[in-house]
Amino acid sequence: MLNDSGVETALGYASDLTRSFPVGKRFNPLQEELYAVVLNAFKTAEAALKPGVAFKNIHLKACEALAEGLIQIGFMKGNAQDAVAAHAHALFFQCGLGHMLGLDVHDMEDLGEQYVGYTADEPKDTKTFGIKSLRLGKKLEAGNVVTVEPGIYIIPELTQMWAQQNLHHEFINYDLLNKHLDFGGIRIEDDYVIKDSGYHRLGKYLERELNEIYDLKDQGTD
């Protein structure tokens, strides 16, 4: 079960949080493996948050972590950096790592993502599948509030289309992937304010480690 939700304060500030939980007491083995891949990508991105770093580069670091994990499981193959450079990982992670957050969940984006999330010197890629859905790419500044939300999403129609085109066959193990087209998706998301020397996670801590989730299940907290 994937729950994507948030609240707005009396002053209007928004939040955007996601957790993925097993419907039963435990994930099945494949769910557990893929959850661990997403969690590692999440922590990779979280650790990179600081002023002066382009959010696009943090996104790509998270994508490489996802690709490396998918290679270890067998859904992808080859070199993770090469796969991300070719955008082959976008079969599993079609969207961006996160977005600005403030008075709106996707703050100020109605003004245009190009003006809010990018700069004239580093414009938004509006054509490449995957990266074109990254809403925020510019360098982070102290005071920015952003989401971090990597995920893995197995979409049958997209997978079948890529397979028919033999797209990125050197990076994707279609034989194994086609056996798990009913998997669905996993995402983990938290909100952060960028500080002068790093970041501060906003809000109450929500369980995200596998053992924490299983402890909740064992306590009967469904």
Side-chain angles (χ1 to χ4, degrees):
M1 181 182 72
L2 187 153
N3 184 297
D4 181 7
S5 58
V7 300
E8 292 185 358
T9 69
L11 296 177
Y13 289 100
S15 63
D16 194 9
L17 303 165
T18 304
R19 288 295 186 272
S20 300
F21 290 89
V23 175
K25 290 290 185 181
R26 297 288 187 272
F27 288 122
N28 67 37
L30 179 59
Q31 290 170 339
E32 191 169 283
E33 284 185 307
L34 289 177
Y35 184 92
V37 172
V38 174
L39 182 60
N40 180 57
F42 178 92
K43 291 179 178 179
T44 298
E46 180 185 56
L49 294 171
K50 63 180 180 180
V53 177
F55 196 76
K56 180 179 179 179
N57 291 340
I58 299 175
H59 166 83
L60 294 174
K61 284 181 178 291
C63 291
E64 289 179 4
L66 285 172
E68 186 61 46
L70 289 167
I71 289 169
Q72 292 176 5
I73 292 172
F75 281 116
M76 294 187 71
K77 52 189 177 179
N79 177 272
Q81 291 183 335
D82 292 342
V84 171
H87 304 284
H89 70 283
L91 179 60
F92 302 91
F93 185 40
Q94 303 83 14
C95 51
L97 179 67
H99 51 81
M100 301 288 281
L101 186 69
L103 293 175
D104 196 358
V105 175
H106 288 245
D107 205 39
M108 301 188 296
E109 284 181 9
D110 287 344
L111 299 175
E113 289 180 12
Q114 175 58 48
Y115 308 109
V116 175
Y118 291 83
T119 66
D121 293 334
E122 298 182 9
K124 178 180 175 66
D125 182 339
T126 60
K127 296 181 179 180
T128 306
F129 182 73
I131 199 70
K132 70 178 183 180
S133 298
L134 178 61
R135 299 175 181 273
L136 174 63
K138 65 184 181 182
K139 290 181 179 179
L140 297 173
E141 300 178 21
N144 288 163
V145 180
V146 301
T147 68
V148 171
E149 46 184 303
I152 290 174
Y153 314 98
I154 297 178
I155 302 174
E157 295 82 3
L158 179 63
T159 301
Q160 291 165 355
M161 182 179 72
W162 279 34
Q164 289 170 2
Q165 298 173 1
N166 203 27
L167 193 60
H168 296 307
H169 62 90
E170 68 273 32
F171 295 117
I172 298 169
N173 183 353
Y174 286 107
D175 290 338
L176 177 60
L177 182 55
N178 283 328
K179 297 177 181 178
H180 300 284
L181 294 181
D182 61 346
F183 180 85
I186 289 174
R187 178 167 70 246
I188 304 169
E189 177 185 15
D190 271 329
D191 306 332
Y192 299 87
V193 59
I194 304 304
K195 308 291 285 185
D196 290 334
S197 59
Y199 65 87
H200 172 71
R201 184 184 51 78
L202 296 171
K204 177 184 177 181
Y205 178 78
L206 298 178
E207 288 79 3
R208 65 192 193 195
E209 302 288 341
L210 279 169
N211 65 301
E212 295 172 341
I213 293 171
Y214 291 163
D215 285 346
L216 286 178
K217 287 292 183 175
D218 291 339
Q219 295 167 17
T221 307
D222 295 322

